[in-house]
Amino acid sequence: FRWSLGLISRILVRTITEGSTIVMLAINVNSARQLRRAVVHAPRGSRAAWMLSVQVGTESISPLYIALERGSLEAAGAVLEDLLTIRADRDKYYYGADELFARHADVVNRLILDAPELLPKLFDGLVWRARTTEQGKRRVNYYLKHLLQTPDGEFASTLRWLAKAKNPKLVCHPIVVLLSETLW
């Protein structure tokens, strides 16, 4: 009996030690400010990986989904905001939407179930608006590829999930309107 308790305690200590990244510490205290400070240290090409995957032994856990499960909505919102911010250096642009949907193809459904107040933040992050106007018009890019199509080439279930949510404010978001017009 003592041997099994010792084994369990060693496993728990190992899990806590390996999973204690600065991103996970910020999520544990539900602090957007600490999360932003934590990812400042990440190289631009690795920021998404720091916020979407933590290796604990042989398991890979998602800090974003851990934040949603624990109700750390401030930290989860900061993760979404950081992932969906377009950054650049001299050689490349960085935008975490591809990494987000590659790791979590069902992120829209998960947000509908666990944190519907974060859906507008996700949808706003999938829209880029130019700072300047030309002849009274502003250029806008909608990144709806992942909302429209799965990695297998099938139609995504995004509209089905949004219809089941029965939230008219979500359906009126510009990216959802464009998605439904494109699909239908």
Side-chain angles (χ1 to χ4, degrees), residues 102-165:
R103 173 84 166 134
H104 303 300
D106 67 335
V107 70
V108 173
N109 191 36
R110 187 68 182 264
L111 288 175
I112 288 170
L113 298 174
D114 293 341
E117 59 270 20
L118 293 179
L119 274 167
K121 193 170 281 201
L122 172 71
F123 293 153
D124 288 342
L126 296 173
V127 177
W128 174 84
R129 292 175 177 86
R131 284 181 282 170
T132 59
T133 58
E134 296 175 15
Q135 299 175 356
K137 296 182 181 179
R138 186 181 307 268
R139 287 190 357 234
V140 178
N141 290 344
Y142 293 93
Y143 298 95
L144 55 90
K145 168 186 162 185
H146 302 290
L147 300 177
L148 184 62
Q149 188 178 23
T150 65
D152 305 330
E154 302 292 322
F155 284 115
S157 300
T158 307
L159 286 178
R160 185 177 320 126
W161 295 330
L162 289 169
K164 283 183 183 176

Side-chain angles (χ1 to χ4, degrees), residues 60-79:
S60 175
I61 62 172
S62 167
L64 174 62
Y65 275 14
I66 294 294
L68 292 174
E69 286 173 10
R70 293 183 181 166
S72 301
L73 300 184
E74 184 180 331
V79 168

Side-chain angles (χ1 to χ4, degrees), residues 12-33:
L12 286 173
V13 167
R14 180 176 170 220
T15 302
I16 291 169
T17 311
E18 289 181 13
S20 292
T21 65
I22 53 178
V23 172
M24 285 303 297
L25 293 174
I27 286 171
N28 287 337
V29 295
N30 192 23
S31 172
R33 184 172 175 232

Side-chain angles (χ1 to χ4, degrees), residues 2 18 20 44-45 59 64 83 86 89 100 120 135 142:
R2 189 179 307 164
E18 289 181 13
S20 292
R44 290 199 181 181
E59 290 292 317
L64 174 62
L83 285 172
I86 298 174
D89 59 19
L100 173 64
Q135 299 175 356
Y142 293 93

